[in-house]
């Protein structure tokens, strides 16, 4: 069974909690499909080339069809001419959307949490609020746990805590309503407030 490390006020290990056993039984393919869909939705879709109907010019046949000893040509804007169109190039009309239904999103999150817990990288504490709003205090949390980077999940994100974490390149702080399987997977460690963890496990 996957274990969540419980931290005390000094961010020291004070015990363990069990994640629901069904989390580890979720097919990992659900997580794969969600992450694939999430990354596809981030694509800017700005790569665009011009086809034959888009390039200007080429209205006049460059030379007569026969009699000059060269290859025939009907336009100076075909894809074999310099300044011509691009054959089979990317267009910004492509749709990268990949549907993932609500149940599958939930299963992906459960599997992501189970994987983090299995690695001993899922932590929970009563409060993760940074009262001072200072980045050095937020950085001390990460150093104390000795993790490379971390996702901080609060039950209700306050302005002071956001200010404290937002300048750290190895941290990302979110409200419990924003957490998803991709964010849980991409960070080396996940630190949650107990109320946030309870909110997630109750939904399942």
């Amino acid at each position: 069974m996957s274990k969540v490390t419980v931290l005390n006020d000094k961010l020291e290990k004070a015990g363990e909690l069990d994640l629901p056993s069904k989390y580890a039984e979720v097919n990992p393919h659900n997580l794969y499909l969600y992450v694939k869909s999430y990354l596809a939705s981030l694509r800017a879709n700005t790569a665009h080339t011009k086809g034959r109907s888009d390039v200007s010019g080429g209205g006049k046949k460059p030379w007569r069809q026969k009699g000059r000893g060269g290859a025939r040509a009907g336009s100076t804007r075909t894809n074999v001419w310099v300044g011509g169109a691009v054959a089979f190039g990317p267009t910004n009309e492509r749709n990268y959307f990949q549907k993932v239904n609500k149940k599958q999103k939930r299963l992906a999150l459960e599997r992501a949490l189970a994987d983090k817990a299995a690695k001993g990288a899922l932590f929970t504490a009563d409060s993760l609020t940074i009262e001072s709003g200072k980045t050095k205090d937020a950085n001390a949390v990460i150093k104390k746990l000795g993790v490379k980077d971390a996702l901080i999940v609060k039950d209700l994100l306050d302005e002071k805590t956001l200010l404290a974490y937002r300048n750290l390149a190895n941290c990302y702080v979110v409200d419990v309503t924003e957490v998803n399987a991709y964010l849980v997977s991409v960070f080396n460690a996940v630190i949650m407030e107990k109320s946030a963890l309870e909110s997630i496990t109750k939904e399942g």
Side-chain angles (χ1 to χ4, degrees), residues 19 23 108-118 122 184 192 200:
L19 275 181
Y23 281 22
L109 177 59
E110 291 176 358
R111 180 68 198 202
L113 289 171
D115 288 348
K116 274 288 173 285
L122 182 58
V184 172
M192 292 185 169
I200 290 173

Side-chain angles (χ1 to χ4, degrees), residues 116 120-123 145 147-152 183-184 186-191:
K116 274 288 173 285
L122 182 58
F123 305 90
L145 295 176
V147 294
K148 182 181 178 182
D149 53 47
L151 174 68
I152 312 295
L183 290 177
V184 172
V186 77
F187 286 92
N188 282 280
V190 178
I191 313 168

Side-chain angles (χ1 to χ4, degrees), residues 45 91-98:
N45 198 21
T91 68
N92 56 17
E93 295 173 358
R94 182 172 175 181
N95 183 6
Y96 292 102
F97 176 75
Q98 296 180 29

